[in-house]
Amino acid sequence: MIQPSTAMPESGLHGIALRPETQCCVVGGGPAGTVLALLLARRGVRVTLLEMHKDFDREFRGDTIHPSTMEILDQIGLADKLLEIPHTKVSGPTLQFANGVITPFDLGRLKTRFPYILMVPQSRFLEFIAEEAGKYPEFQLVMHANVTQLIEEQGVVRGVQSATPEGTQELRAGLVVGADGRFSHVRRLAGFEPVKTSPPMDVLWFRLPKLPGEPQISSGAFGAIGQGRIFVLLERNDYWQGGFVFPKGMYQELRAQGVEAMRRRISETAPRFAQHAEALTDWSQLTLLSVESSRCPLWHKPGLLVIGDAAHVMSPVGGVGINYAIQDAVVAANVLSEPLKAGRVTDADLAEVQRQREWPTRVIQAFQAFMQTRVIASALQSQQARNIPWQLRLLSRIPVLRDLPPRMIAFGPKRVRLEKESNP
Ligand SMILES: Cc1cc2nc3c(=O)[nH]c(=O)nc-3n(C[C@H](O)[C@H](O)[C@H](O)COP(=O)(O)OP(=O)(O)OC[C@H]3O[C@@H](n4cnc5c(N)ncnc54)[C@H](O)[C@@H]3O)c2cc1C
């Protein structure tokens, strides 16, 4: 039996009541798991969320909240509350090439109350969602619970075992949802094998300080491209989040060249950040994101469903991983709330979640693959200074084409909404 953890007493995020079983056990307190738990609890489903870490602290796991997620939070009356957390907004990147700058797309043109990507520390976002979920008696959060085994009876998943500070605990559940991320243990235990593609790049993330009195970048994002390098800089309240995109397989070489070489690359490719780059003095200030893209052919078996990164790891192109994980959670809540309450989740219900979410995932992964091979790989291969590619000029001038990338990034190929929701 799982006991509520006392690991987070100061935040009040630990469980409310001791439960031997639950209608839905969600494994993993990332964006997919926390949002699913909140949505199910709101609809009266008893849900237990198990998270292996003792808190929600996340460094460089992505802080992007897309218009789609904002619209969903707005549907349940939480968007304005989220906006009270200190944030910045990104509406479109300004890309610098040798012959000038261009804004290839602009979310500001979208027809939505939230025409921007909200940048909020992921830990604050997850705490916020978990706190809101904690207002429902149906919700229980157990931190420090590392799921190690599935409980299976006659081919049906009936719950999980997890390692906790109190020892091994069992929780029985009508449905187990694996929302435990790109290295999902639940996925492995279920025997699901993701099909992987290998994007041609990796990313190093780092922070640069803001200089006193420096002007804001109007769209919140800046990119510099040339000499086989791509830098991305996202404006945050009191710092810049920097990303250096480089060809896969080059990490050891960069590591050997050290942090001085990284500073030099920044000042050569993005001179306006040369002074900021002086703050990089140690390699440990850089975090590697090994870029991966994969998708499970099957997301479910009797008594079990995987969603979010556990079902599909997204490349960072467009920064859509969090958004897609949350959209999976919304569809799962739409489809499964009633069957969960009735205690009758069928394989057809689980297949319906995969049916609704698999094709948008395929579409965006195809779009990402195109950008990676046609645009990013060629920029990384050319050691010359690069002028603005004609394709980008075309994209930014023809209205039908111009609006497609921001729509894809903001919402994906299909706008996901919470069904049967009346505005609070
Ligand atoms: C360095 C980096 C930068 C990124 N930047 C961006 C970005 O800018 N924008 C964007 O949209 N996406 C970004 N991503 C991707 C994004 O983080 C994921 O797509 C998103 O977090 C997926 O959400 P999720 O809930 O499916 O999984 P996760 O966020 O990975 O959450 C899984 C949770 O499960 C927990 N867990 C794992 N195993 C167990 C277990 N056995 N028992 C209990 N709990 C477990 C983990 O501790 C974790 O909290 C980035 C990823 C990385 C690695």
Side-chain angles (χ1 to χ4, degrees):
M1 184 154 53
I2 286 184
Q3 310 214 6
S5 164
T6 49
M8 303 182 68
E10 67 287 357
S11 63
L13 288 176
H14 48 91
I16 320 142
L18 192 66
R19 289 182 200 139
E21 59 178 61
T22 184
Q23 288 172 316
C24 183
C25 164
V26 179
V27 182
T34 48
V35 170
L36 176 61
L38 165 67
L39 297 178
L40 291 178
R42 290 185 77 249
R43 290 180 171 190
V45 176
R46 277 183 292 120
V47 55
T48 301
L49 175 60
L50 305 179
E51 166 54 47
M52 67 191 282
H53 289 108
K54 66 175 176 29
D55 55 35
F56 288 117
D57 263 349
R58 299 287 185 278
E59 186 70 16
F60 291 136
R61 298 280 302 283
D63 296 336
T64 50
I65 306 294
H66 285 226
S68 157
T69 299
M70 292 303 292
E71 285 190 353
I72 288 154
L73 293 178
D74 201 30
Q75 270 191 288
I76 56 175
L78 295 182
D80 290 327
K81 226 169 154 182
L82 179 64
L83 287 167
E84 288 170 15
I85 297 176
H87 61 263
T88 49
K89 292 172 180 169
V90 172
S91 55
T94 305
L95 300 184
Q96 181 195 297
F97 289 84
N99 62 339
V101 295
I102 186 167
T103 299
F105 62 83
D106 183 4
L107 271 66
R109 303 170 50 85
L110 293 171
K111 290 195 180 69
T112 169
R113 232 196 106 194
F114 311 98
Y116 48 77
I117 293 172
L118 190 77
M119 304 289 297
V120 156
Q122 194 179 119
S123 56
R124 297 294 309 276
F125 175 72
L126 296 175
E127 281 165 14
F128 169 75
I129 298 292
E131 269 164 11
E132 289 299 323
K135 294 178 180 168
Y136 298 89
E138 290 81 2
F139 174 77
Q140 182 178 44
L141 171 63
V142 187
M143 303 301 285
H144 241 160
N146 180 8
V147 170
T148 52
Q149 292 297 333
L150 298 176
I151 301 169
E152 285 194 73
E153 290 165 1
Q154 282 106 40
V156 180
V157 175
R158 302 283 188 197
V160 296
Q161 268 187 10
S162 50
T164 74
E166 291 82 28
T168 302
Q169 312 270 7
E170 279 196 2
L171 174 69
R172 296 184 74 82
L175 176 71
V176 172
V177 178
D180 50 342
R182 55 162 44 194
F183 304 113
S184 172
H185 192 55
V186 169
R187 180 181 67 209
R188 212 168 28 248
L189 292 170
F192 300 156
E193 192 59 46
V195 178
K196 292 186 183 174
T197 54
S198 189
M201 79 253 191
D202 283 329
V203 183
L204 276 166
W205 288 110
F206 52 89
R207 276 182 190 220
L208 298 180
K210 280 206 165 156
L211 302 180
E214 76 174 292
Q216 285 211 315
I217 284 191
S218 60
S219 61
F222 179 79
I225 299 163
Q227 294 138 317
R229 300 164 190 165
I230 301 179
F231 279 99
V232 182
L233 287 133
L234 302 172
E235 186 157 23
R236 310 302 298 267
N237 278 327
D238 47 3
Y239 68 96
W240 290 95
Q241 184 182 334
F244 174 61
V245 184
F246 61 95
K248 216 176 232 329
M250 250 189 78
Y251 177 74
Q252 290 308 335
E253 196 180 323
L254 294 171
R255 177 88 183 77
Q257 289 166 0
V259 74
E260 307 76 27
M262 188 58 71
R263 279 202 305 267
R264 201 172 52 248
R265 284 184 201 100
I266 295 174
S267 42
E268 283 169 5
T269 318
R272 65 161 289 184
F273 288 95
Q275 201 184 336
H276 307 66
E278 284 167 22
L280 287 181
T281 54
D282 192 288
W283 190 262
S284 65
Q285 291 169 269
L286 302 157
T287 305
L288 174 68
L289 165 60
S290 177
V291 174
E292 194 186 305
S293 177
S294 67
R295 193 174 56 245
C296 279
L298 190 63
W299 299 17
H300 60 93
K301 63 193 268 185
L304 181 130
L305 172 73
V306 289
I307 60 170
D309 272 20
H312 47 71
V313 176
M314 315 300 276
S315 139
V317 174
V320 295
I322 295 168
N323 200 32
Y324 269 57
I326 291 173
Q327 290 188 340
D328 288 359
V330 172
V331 168
N334 283 343
V335 174
L336 301 175
S337 296
E338 290 309 316
L340 276 167
K341 275 198 285 190
R344 277 195 310 270
V345 178
T346 63
D347 236 25
D349 296 324
L350 301 178
E352 177 60 15
V353 177
Q354 176 172 355
R355 190 192 67 75
Q356 289 193 32
R357 291 303 301 152
E358 187 178 356
W359 71 265
T361 309
R362 281 176 181 270
V363 171
I364 200 83
Q365 286 184 334
F367 168 74
Q368 291 175 323
F370 174 83
M371 293 298 288
Q372 283 160 186
T373 48
R374 297 294 166 84
V375 182
I376 297 173
S378 78
L380 292 176
Q381 276 152 18
S382 156
Q383 293 308 310
Q384 311 299 316
R386 282 180 73 89
N387 288 335
I388 300 171
W390 63 265
Q391 295 96 328
L392 275 191
R393 284 200 192 280
L394 201 68
L395 198 66
S396 59
R397 283 190 188 149
I398 302 181
V400 189
L401 293 180
R402 186 181 55 200
D403 293 341
L404 196 62
R407 269 214 309 275
M408 285 288 280
I409 288 167
F411 301 108
K414 183 171 186 279
R415 228 161 164 139
V416 170
R417 308 279 295 161
L418 265 173
E419 288 166 7
K420 304 184 198 101
E421 240 355 281
S422 49
N423 277 339

